[in-house]
Amino acid sequence: MVPLELLSTEIGLVVLGLILLGWGVLVPVRARRVQGVITSVALGAILAMTLHLYRGDTVLFGGIYHLDAWSTFFKTLFLIAGILVVLSSDLYARRFGRRTDEFYGLMVLALLGMTVMVTAGELLTLYVGMELMTISFYILAAYCVRDERSGEAGLKYLILGAVSSAVMLFGISLVYAVTGSTVLAEIAANLLTQPVLAAGVLLILAGFGFKLALVPFHMWAPDIYQGSPITVTAFLAVGSKAAALGAMLRVFTTALPETAVDWRLVVAVLAGLTMVVGNLIALVQVDIKRLLAYSSIAQAGYMLTGLAAMNDYGLKGAAFYAMIYVFANVGAFAVATAVEVDTGSTEIKAMNGLAERSPFMAAVMTVCLLSLAGIPPLAGFVGKFYLFTGAVQAGWLWLAFVGLVMSMVSVYYYLSVAKAMYIGEAGTVTRLNPGTATGLTLWVCLVATVLIGIYPAPLSLITPLP
C-alpha cells in the first residue's frame, strides 16, 4: 500500500486543476477577479507540502515512479514558475472573461504533466506526463480565439507536437525491442550494442530535442511563442523546457549511459548548433516575444552543455541553470506582459521610454536580460560558469569556447531592449503601474536573480544529481 502523502504534490495538483475547471459552476462570477491570486496561494500550499513531506529517496510501483531529490528539486522549480507566471498573468487573464476558469485549470494540469515527467522512472509513464503537459499547451497556445495568430500557433503546435510524440514513441518501442523493458534501471541492465538500439536512442533524443527547441528541431518555437498569449509563452519557455531537461537528464544518465551510439558527441554538436543559431537569429528580431523565443533556444543549448559534459559540474550546473532561468525569464516576460496589456503591442519599440514611465520595471527587465546574457555578478553568470567548467573538465573545450563567444554575442540583442527602455522616446508619459500581483512577481525575480548571483552557495548545495 503506497502512503498517499508521498504523492501529495500530484494529488494536490489534480484536485486544484479540477476545482479550477469547475470554478464557474462553484462560485459567483465576480470571484473570477481573485482567481489568479487564489490559484497562486493554492500552488504555494502545494509547494510547502512538497518540501515538508519529502522523506528521502523512495521508489514506487516497481521502479516506475522515483520520489527522490532530483524530482523534488524540479517539482519545486515547476511550482515556483507556476506561481510567478499565474501572478504575472493576473491582469492579462481578465481578457478571457468566462474562460478564465479553464485557463488557470489547464495551467495547473500542465504543471501536473511536468511533475510526472521528472518523477517517472519508466519511459511510458514519462510519455504520458509529457502528453498531459503538451495537450494542455496545445489548448493554451490557441486561447485567444479571436486572434488568428493564436489559432495558427495552436494548430502548428498540435501538428508538430504530434509528429515529435510519434517519433519519440517509436524510439521507445525500439529500445524496448532490444532491452525487453521500459523501466530505466532494467534498460541499463539489459543494454546490448545493436544498430536498432542506436536508432531508438537517436529518436528519443529527437523527441526531447523538440520539447527543448534544440536546433534543428526548433522551427516551431518562434511562431508559437509569438502567436500564443504572452503568459502562456512565458510558462512554455520555462516550465516545458525545464521538464524536458529534467526528464532527459534522468533518462540518459540512468538508462542509456553507454550505448551503440556516442550520444554525448551528438548532444555536444546539438548544443553548439543551438547556441549559435539561437543567438545569431535573435540579433535581428524586432518583436520581444520572438527575441525571447530565440533567446530560449540559445539558453537550451547552454543547458544541454551539462549533459554533454556528463560530470558533476555539468549535470548539477544544468539543474542549477534551469532554476535561475525561471527567475530571469519570468521577470522579463512579466515586464513584457505589463507593456502588452498597456500598449497592445509586443514589438521592442513598445518598450520605448519605459524607464520614464516605470523605472522599477525597466530596472527589472535590464537585470533579468543581463542575467540571461551571463553578466557578473548576476545568477546567469554563475550558472554558465558551472556549465562551461563542466564542459572543459570533460574535454569539450571547443563547446565551452562556443558558449563563451555566443554569450558575448547575446549581450548585443539584450542591450537593444535596454536601449529602447532608457533612450527610446515614449509615445506617452503616463506612469505604467504593473499591479500588485505582477509587482510582487517582479520583486521576487529581481531579488532572486541578484541574490543567487552574489551568494550561490545555498542553491548550489541543494542542487542534486539525476
Side-chain angles (χ1 to χ4, degrees):
M1 185 71 179
V2 177
L4 290 180
E5 66 266 22
L6 295 179
L7 300 173
S8 55
T9 307
E10 291 79 358
I11 294 172
L13 289 172
V14 169
V15 172
L16 178 60
L18 294 178
I19 289 175
L20 289 169
L21 289 176
W23 185 274
V25 179
L26 298 173
V27 298
V29 174
R30 61 179 180 275
R32 288 194 176 92
R33 284 189 170 274
V34 295
Q35 196 172 2
V37 175
I38 292 175
T39 304
S40 302
V41 172
L43 289 176
I46 294 172
L47 173 60
M49 192 166 56
T50 301
L51 297 174
H52 178 68
L53 295 178
Y54 175 61
R55 295 287 184 271
D57 295 357
T58 306
V59 177
L60 303 177
F61 311 121
I64 290 177
Y65 218 60
H66 289 225
L67 299 166
D68 53 14
W70 183 255
S71 61
T72 304
F73 179 86
F74 274 92
K75 285 178 184 176
T76 305
L77 183 156
F78 302 145
L79 289 167
I80 290 174
I83 293 168
L84 294 175
V85 171
V86 168
L87 282 175
S88 66
S89 64
D90 186 47
L91 293 177
Y92 186 90
R94 292 179 187 177
R95 65 179 60 184
F96 298 134
R98 290 181 177 274
R99 295 184 298 117
T100 310
D101 313 331
E102 292 84 358
F103 178 75
Y104 287 121
L106 288 167
M107 292 188 87
V108 171
L109 293 180
L111 267 175
L112 175 63
M114 295 173 198
T115 61
V116 172
M117 282 176 67
V118 296
T119 315
E122 191 262 348
L123 291 176
L124 291 179
T125 307
L126 187 159
Y127 180 80
V128 170
M130 183 181 292
E131 287 304 291
L132 175 58
M133 176 191 75
T134 311
I135 290 172
S136 301
F137 277 123
Y138 294 156
I139 303 168
L140 288 170
Y143 217 69
C144 294
V145 291
R146 296 182 180 176
D147 186 341
E148 289 184 1
R149 289 184 304 179
S150 181
E152 182 183 338
L155 184 61
K156 279 185 178 176
Y157 198 25
L158 172 64
I159 295 171
L160 294 173
V163 172
S164 74
S165 294
V167 168
M168 187 166 186
L169 202 55
F170 187 45
I172 292 173
S173 69
L174 293 181
V175 171
Y176 176 77
V178 175
T179 62
S181 176
T182 53
V183 178
L184 301 185
E186 294 176 7
I187 291 173
N190 298 324
L191 280 178
L192 296 172
T193 304
Q194 290 188 12
V196 174
L197 179 63
V201 172
L202 290 176
L203 291 175
I204 291 174
L205 181 59
F208 280 120
F210 177 85
K211 302 302 178 193
L212 279 165
L214 302 176
V215 175
F217 313 106
H218 68 290
M219 294 79 75
W220 63 274
D223 290 344
I224 291 167
Y225 278 32
Q226 186 179 20
S228 302
I230 192 166
T231 51
V232 175
T233 306
F235 200 33
L236 195 59
V238 294
S240 171
K241 203 171 286 285
L245 179 75
M248 183 181 186
L249 291 180
R250 189 195 285 278
V251 169
F252 278 83
T253 57
T254 305
L256 307 166
E258 294 179 2
T259 64
V261 61
D262 185 3
W263 58 258
R264 285 184 59 203
L265 175 61
V266 178
V267 167
V269 172
L270 287 179
L273 281 174
T274 303
M275 287 187 279
V276 172
V277 173
N279 280 304
L280 292 184
I281 301 181
L283 287 172
V284 296
Q285 300 307 313
V286 295
D287 186 284
I288 189 69
K289 289 167 78 176
R290 289 188 77 86
L291 184 146
L292 290 174
Y294 281 106
S295 161
S296 77
I297 292 171
Q299 299 291 337
Y302 298 132
M303 288 186 254
L304 200 63
T305 303
L307 180 58
M310 197 67 174
N311 52 27
D312 286 2
Y313 258 107
L315 295 173
K316 291 188 75 168
F320 180 94
Y321 198 84
M323 180 65 84
I324 62 172
Y325 177 69
V326 167
F327 296 109
N329 219 37
V330 171
F333 269 107
V335 174
T337 302
V339 172
E340 185 185 349
V341 169
D342 182 67
T343 66
S345 172
T346 57
E347 293 188 6
I348 293 176
K349 63 183 180 184
M351 297 277 179
N352 282 353
L354 183 63
E356 293 181 30
R357 303 182 62 203
S358 176
F360 171 63
M361 290 174 66
V364 173
M365 187 66 152
T366 304
V367 167
C368 290
L369 292 178
L370 290 179
S371 179
L372 291 172
I375 301 297
L378 301 172
F381 169 77
V382 182
K384 287 185 179 178
F385 175 80
Y386 288 152
L387 288 170
F388 297 159
T389 301
V392 171
Q393 284 184 346
W396 300 113
L397 188 59
W398 66 268
L399 187 59
F401 179 74
V402 170
L404 185 62
V405 172
M406 287 299 112
S407 295
M408 290 188 284
V409 169
S410 71
V411 174
Y412 177 82
Y413 62 80
Y414 286 133
L415 286 182
S416 69
V417 180
K419 177 185 171 187
M421 292 189 296
Y422 287 96
I423 301 177
E425 293 186 5
T428 175
V429 292
T430 307
R431 190 167 181 78
L432 179 57
N433 184 359
T436 305
T438 302
L440 179 61
T441 301
L442 294 175
W443 272 112
V444 171
C445 293
L446 177 66
V447 171
T449 302
V450 174
L451 195 61
I452 296 174
I454 297 172
Y455 188 49
L459 180 58
S460 300
L461 288 174
I462 64 171
T463 304
L465 287 168

